[in-house]
Amino acid sequence: MRRIITILLTTVVVLAGLGLFARATSSGSSVTKPRLERSIAVSFSNVYSQQAALLGHKGISPKSLHAQAMCDKGPGVPQNGPGTSWVCLMSWDDPNVPMPTTGYGKFELSVHSNSCYTAGGPSSLIGYQTIAAADGRTVNNPVYEFDACFDPQSDNTPTRVTFPSAVRITSTTATPDDSGRLRVDLACAEGAGGCRGTLTGTADGSPLGVVDFSLTKQATDSLNLPGALPTKAKNVTYTVTTTAGVAPPPLVLPVQR
Amino acid sequence: MTLTATDHRRVEATTDRAGFGAALAFEVRKLRAQVRVRAVLAGALLAPVPIALIIHAQGNPPKDTLFGRFATTNGFALALLVLGFAGQWLLPLLTAVVAGDIFASEDHHGTWKTIMTRSVSRASLFGAKTTTALGFAILGLVVLAASTIVSSVLIGGHGTLTGLSGQLVPPATAWRLVSASWLSTLPPTVAFTALAILLSVWSRSVAVGVAAPAVIGMVMQLVGATGGAEALRPYLPTTAYEAWHGFLATPAFTGPFLIGLVACSVWTVLTLGLALAITVRRDITGG
């Protein structure tokens, strides 16, 4: 019995020693931003071509898509290592599916330490879990969610692909406070360079003023419009112009008191 | 047939000192007589059939595991899904059933004195037992691989496989890649065999020899998946169980397989060397 306990203890000590050695000499994870960006562009192009063949879209090949990706693990964390917070923004050329104003779609990744990941894309661009094939059958959408693995020793030089963040107004109603002023919630999504610009408010044609904003990526802020809301106003229109980031189209919100 | 003088000398030489060959024949004979060994081999041959049937019949494919997404519709994916599980604990356990027992059972039965007093060197005896354990590991792996691939493809069909870069793999290539993937688990299985032998020699306990390799395998996977110790990953034998991922990608990559091959060789040499040293230095007169 003593022998077995000795062996178990030795094993634990050896493993702990190896662990400490690894920690001390750690060169970091093999899961890195450049490797993910290269890998997802390739695997996406392959599954997207499969989808195009199913849908009967002609002239789509992995090469013709020119897919490019920019991946981000989130603000304030090292941009490497496995995790479920990886987001990749990707652009590609398909005449059948126009890109949104931002020019890219957002993919959410769950990346494992063994260099394999599962990616899920935006339904607005790639469709839902099942699609109607050209021959009338309902088939699984190969792009909706896909698995891929990359070489942990592959090229790790930055891809230099960048996409601007999208600005989004997250308020769903216009509710004035006691002094009749409006507060607007703004979000700056994933992307490079953050979001800067101005927000202009008008209530049924009469101006409510202009506010400047400056947000880092993946952050939110609340802006106070200087002008008071006319008592009879029914709708408020918010217009965003940006010097950094992509502005959303003007948003009309109903006034709720 | 008449025997010449040379033949007589040769016969005397082999009977005089039972060498590696005789010890090996004896170990193989002992192994073949064990019900447990026959049961494991029969399991490796037959178990893949119900496993493939059950996974194939699932309404929702097991998407959280690699190739699970296609496991209900494609036989090649089904065989690779099973391979993913086999590498986690099944193969270390399969080999440990024999390798973890082959030395410790002599302690269990108190037969060290009997075999050590025979005119066979300890190194020969060690070599024979190790060769037997390695032979069983390879046989078990090949039987399990062949059975899984054939039953999976018969049950799931041999359609076009979607690889790990989203590429389509035609059936003829898929046969080759799936077989190569299963065979790529040979180096880590050999490393786990050596580890089981070391634990068996060292602990003199069958329970430790059989169960500990699978447990250590689990711990290694945990270590490899933990943020701080990720740098250790390439050098763990458990990582080599995942080296086949590279075969299914395009362009295919074999870096993890080659590193795994070197790492597993080092593990095997170190653990077997330690086990041999313990066997040779061991005092059997005390029990």
Side-chain angles (χ1 to χ4, degrees):
Chain A
M1 199 61 211
R2 216 164 72 186
R3 169 173 287 271
I4 293 170
I5 293 170
T6 316
I7 288 173
L8 289 179
L9 280 178
T10 314
T11 313
V12 170
V13 168
V14 167
L15 284 177
L18 285 174
L20 285 176
F21 172 77
R23 230 191 148 82
T25 58
S26 178
S27 54
S29 175
S30 61
V31 177
T32 62
K33 179 176 147 84
R35 287 184 185 134
L36 269 181
E37 288 170 348
R38 285 193 176 87
S39 172
I40 195 169
V42 170
S43 51
F44 169 79
S45 302
N46 284 327
V47 288
Y48 195 85
S49 304
Q50 276 190 48
Q51 190 204 45
L54 287 170
L55 293 171
H57 291 167
K58 299 271 183 279
I60 302 289
S61 74
K63 277 222 170 87
S64 78
L65 290 171
H66 302 293
Q68 281 193 312
M70 174 196 145
C71 298
D72 195 309
K73 208 189 175 193
V77 295
Q79 296 297 306
N80 61 56
T84 51
S85 60
W86 280 102
V87 164
C88 293
L89 307 178
M90 188 144 45
S91 70
W92 65 93
D93 304 331
D94 178 1
N96 305 290
V97 182
M99 282 283 142
T101 47
T102 51
Y104 54 78
K106 179 174 130 183
F107 289 70
E108 284 173 7
L109 274 68
S110 171
V111 189
H112 306 288
S113 56
N114 62 4
S115 312
C116 293
Y117 57 88
T118 304
S123 310
S124 55
L125 294 174
I126 55 140
Y128 289 95
Q129 190 154 14
T130 55
I131 48 172
D135 58 8
R137 290 176 304 144
T138 302
V139 293
N140 269 327
N141 183 352
V143 199
Y144 181 73
E145 233 183 13
F146 56 94
D147 299 312
C149 297
F150 59 87
D151 184 354
Q153 287 130 37
S154 56
D155 188 4
N156 197 26
T157 50
T159 57
R160 301 189 193 289
V161 176
T162 56
F163 292 115
S165 297
V167 182
R168 200 160 61 87
I169 298 165
T170 53
S171 302
T172 49
T173 57
T175 306
D177 60 12
D178 294 343
S179 58
R181 284 182 176 77
L182 288 170
R183 175 181 279 264
V184 189
D185 294 327
L186 216 60
C188 180
E190 298 84 2
C195 308
R196 275 188 312 279
T198 55
L199 180 131
T200 313
T202 51
D204 298 335
S206 57
L208 297 173
V210 180
V211 236
D212 291 334
F213 63 86
S214 176
L215 277 78
T216 55
K217 65 172 184 184
Q218 283 167 281
T220 56
D221 198 6
S222 287
L223 308 175
N224 289 306
L225 282 171
L229 187 70
T231 44
K232 284 180 185 160
K234 292 267 191 308
N235 287 303
V236 178
T237 306
Y238 296 131
T239 312
V240 176
T241 54
T242 55
T243 52
V246 181
L251 179 70
V252 181
L253 290 179
V255 173
Q256 269 183 14
R257 290 175 202 271
Chain B
M1 200 177 96
T2 53
L3 291 174
T4 63
T6 338
D7 284 332
H8 274 295
R9 270 202 301 278
R10 202 174 290 154
V11 170
E12 276 161 19
T14 47
T15 44
D16 256 11
R17 185 166 176 80
F20 170 76
L24 181 62
F26 184 57
E27 286 302 330
V28 172
R29 212 173 122 201
K30 278 202 285 186
L31 203 63
R32 284 174 62 187
Q34 283 185 43
V35 178
R36 178 168 46 169
V37 170
R38 291 187 196 157
V40 168
L41 282 181
L45 184 67
L46 300 176
V49 180
I51 290 172
L53 280 172
I54 289 167
I55 298 175
H56 182 66
Q58 297 296 309
N60 278 324
K63 288 179 187 170
D64 51 351
T65 313
L66 225 47
F67 284 104
R69 201 174 295 286
F70 309 108
T72 55
T73 50
N74 185 295
F76 297 116
L78 182 52
L80 291 170
L81 173 78
V82 176
L83 175 59
F85 282 111
Q88 279 176 11
W89 54 269
L90 193 61
L91 290 172
L93 191 63
L94 180 94
T95 182
V97 165
V98 166
D101 174 79
I102 200 159
F103 284 88
S105 66
E106 307 287 358
D107 288 287
H108 185 68
H109 299 296
T111 43
W112 274 118
K113 275 182 201 170
T114 322
I115 55 167
M116 288 293 201
T117 46
R118 296 272 178 265
S119 49
V120 55
S121 73
R122 289 192 182 190
S124 286
L125 190 70
F126 181 84
K129 282 184 180 292
T130 304
T131 309
T132 309
L134 286 175
F136 175 80
I138 294 169
L139 180 68
L141 173 61
V142 169
V143 168
L144 182 67
S147 173
T148 305
I149 297 171
V150 171
S151 55
S152 296
V153 172
L154 285 180
I155 290 164
H158 52 278
T160 306
L161 175 72
T162 300
L164 290 178
S165 300
Q167 85 280 24
L168 291 172
V169 182
T173 318
W175 275 112
R176 198 168 50 76
L177 292 180
V178 172
S179 306
S181 297
W182 269 91
L183 284 182
S184 77
T185 59
L186 202 53
T189 305
V190 167
F192 270 101
T193 307
L195 183 66
I197 288 174
L198 173 63
L199 291 168
S200 168
V201 167
W202 195 8
S203 70
R204 304 179 190 177
S205 154
V206 176
V208 171
V210 173
V215 175
I216 292 177
M218 293 279 198
V219 173
M220 283 177 177
Q221 282 178 19
L222 201 63
V223 167
T226 318
E230 262 193 292
L232 203 62
R233 262 188 71 80
Y235 313 112
L236 297 173
T238 41
T239 309
Y241 273 127
E242 295 182 309
W244 58 271
H245 293 165
F247 302 172
L248 272 302
T250 186
F253 52 92
T254 50
F257 175 74
L258 295 175
I259 293 176
L261 194 63
V262 174
C264 289
S265 306
V266 172
W267 275 93
T268 307
V269 169
L270 285 183
T271 44
L272 281 186
L274 198 55
L276 176 64
I278 295 173
T279 310
V280 171
R281 291 165 57 95
R282 181 172 170 184
D283 173 20
I284 57 156
T285 52

